[in-house]
Amino acid sequence: MNQHDGSTQLGGAAQLSGAAQQSGDTTQTRDTSRQPGGPTRQHGATQRTGDAAQRTGEAPQHRTMPILRDVTLRDGLQLTGKVLPTEHKVEMVRRLLTLGVPELEIGSLARPDLVPPMANSLEVVAALSAEELRRCWLWVATPRHVEKAAAAGVRNFQYCFSVSDAHNRANIGRSTEDSVAAMPAAIQLAREVGGRIQLCLATAFTCPFDGPVDPERVLSIAADPRTAGADDIVLADTLGQAHPGQVAALVAAVRARDAGRRIVFHGHDTWGMGVPNSLAAAAAGADVVDGSLGGLGGCPFAPGASGNTSSEDLLFATRPDWFTPPVLGELVRMSEALLAELGEPNRSRTAEGARSKAQAFEWVIRG
């Protein structure tokens, strides 16, 4: 992970005044054909975004609620210190896909001596079919990671680095500029195998070492020509310290400058804002939100980062078509078994509610 692939000057906020400052309507319908697994973007409830249109006499538009990417098997497990057997991970992948979860993050090429729970990620990849892998993402941080993952059969690469230099050095062992400079090579390697690649920006809101992150730095990286080949942009509230207003503002700013790429919001629930932030991101233009079973997870190189936003809570809030009371019951049982095995607490309020005695409510698990 401590590789350096060259260095040129990272573009500053001044770039935003150039070609990168393209206008965009954050309420428009966007092309989702670049989504893994096909072009369908269904998944349930819609939400009005037409207040401004109503004021101007135009017909209000509607936004489809975001799809879920479950990150239990990567961001959920990486802080636990325990390596789940390959067959257990593969079983979880297949159960989640069968239940209807649209996308998964299934592992990482982080150094196994630093993040032991990810040591068998490529073994998991090898056990899955090409069709299953179409809906799965793998965390990578260097072109060499992309090359290695591609050789194993991965076709969806989450190329991740931190907006803040201090966290990028702690997490990946290089400067942010070095990660940006290496991205064109990573993009080219992904394209050579017909793959997709995400620009994943950790610490997009706050850094555990440097504090608040300037939104202009996020926008500058997203607009940098060297990151332009990425299919998606992931905005990560790594520490869970952002609030809905911040999240909405940054997502809307990215969407206004880049109407063609999917936006993924990755939240943590450290301060209880995981679901509100995810809903704010969706209302501002995010297409995908990340969550993990039982709110499991955190970053081993980010002091103060606790669990991810609970997948159960996100699904209960957004109600995609495939999410039914029986599906919730299966997800809750899965998370309970996993968390018991790991000795971790269940942070999902939906899972707690599903085990309540309110038997007249259809979402409560019976038996």
Side-chain angles (χ1 to χ4, degrees):
M1 301 232 325
N2 297 320
Q3 303 175 55
H4 294 267
D5 296 323
S7 170
T8 55
Q9 183 61 37
L10 177 65
Q15 280 185 275
L16 299 176
S17 61
Q21 263 189 332
Q22 299 172 0
S23 62
D25 179 0
T26 63
T27 66
Q28 67 186 3
T29 302
R30 296 184 299 280
D31 176 16
T32 56
S33 62
R34 300 164 72 157
Q35 165 182 334
T40 302
R41 183 165 177 219
Q42 29 122 16
H43 311 303
T46 57
Q47 146 176 343
R48 288 184 180 272
T49 58
D51 292 344
Q54 289 176 353
R55 287 194 295 270
T56 60
E58 299 174 5
Q61 297 187 44
H62 295 73
R63 177 179 304 289
T64 304
M65 291 301 283
I67 68 169
L68 171 74
R69 177 173 63 175
D70 185 90
V71 301
T72 303
L73 291 170
R74 200 282 296 182
D75 204 26
L77 291 178
Q78 68 176 1
L79 199 59
T80 64
K82 181 174 182 178
V83 181
L84 286 184
T86 299
E87 58 271 18
H88 188 170
K89 290 185 176 182
V90 172
E91 178 191 8
M92 286 188 63
V93 169
R94 289 180 171 151
R95 287 182 68 185
L96 289 167
L97 293 178
T98 298
L99 286 171
V101 178
E103 297 182 25
L104 307 176
E105 187 184 37
I106 61 170
S108 163
L109 288 189
R111 281 173 43 185
D113 59 323
L114 298 178
V115 191
M118 298 296 102
N120 58 353
S121 292
L122 290 184
E123 285 82 356
V124 174
V125 170
L128 298 172
S129 70
E131 182 64 25
E132 289 166 333
L133 288 171
R134 288 182 68 218
R135 291 163 63 187
C136 297
W137 293 88
L138 196 80
W139 185 98
V140 296
T142 68
R144 174 58 183 150
H145 284 172
V146 176
E147 185 176 31
K148 188 175 180 180
V154 174
R155 294 298 179 265
N156 293 320
F157 309 91
Q158 183 175 227
Y159 184 90
C160 195
F161 58 89
S162 302
V163 177
S164 74
D165 273 311
H167 186 260
N168 208 53
R169 292 184 186 281
N171 194 33
I172 299 178
R174 56 169 54 185
S175 69
T176 300
E177 167 58 29
D178 286 337
S179 290
V180 173
M183 193 164 186
I187 292 169
Q188 178 61 31
L189 288 165
R191 293 289 177 261
E192 288 174 359
V193 295
R196 294 168 48 82
I197 190 166
Q198 293 179 327
L199 166 63
C200 177
L201 299 177
T203 63
F205 299 89
T206 56
C207 168
F209 310 110
D210 294 336
V213 171
D214 186 350
E216 291 299 312
R217 182 167 169 82
V218 178
L219 296 173
S220 175
I221 294 172
D224 192 300
R226 294 169 294 178
T227 69
D231 298 280
D232 305 339
I233 300 174
V234 183
L235 301 175
D237 180 19
T238 305
L239 299 177
Q241 295 173 344
H243 60 76
Q246 280 180 292
V247 172
L250 185 59
V251 171
V254 173
R255 172 57 65 215
R257 291 162 175 77
D258 196 332
R261 294 192 279 190
R262 292 196 313 172
I263 295 176
V264 182
F265 175 71
H266 178 93
H268 285 248
D269 203 39
T270 313
W271 288 78
M273 291 289 102
V275 171
N277 282 343
S278 297
L279 295 179
D287 305 279
V288 182
V289 293
D290 284 351
S292 70
L293 292 176
L296 181 66
C299 177
F301 306 105
S306 65
N308 289 281
T309 307
S310 158
S311 290
E312 300 96 316
D313 294 355
L314 288 168
L315 290 169
F316 191 72
T318 57
R319 306 291 180 93
D321 292 340
W322 58 268
F323 182 64
T324 62
V327 168
L328 173 61
E330 286 300 308
L331 291 172
V332 170
R333 293 182 189 98
M334 283 183 66
S335 65
E336 288 173 344
L338 174 65
L339 296 170
E341 180 177 353
L342 297 171
E344 295 284 339
N346 195 327
R347 300 180 178 92
S348 169
R349 299 300 300 273
T350 297
E352 180 183 353
R355 289 297 191 185
S356 73
K357 296 180 180 179
Q359 295 296 310
F361 191 45
E362 65 175 341
W363 295 91
V364 170
I365 297 172
R366 295 168 176 80

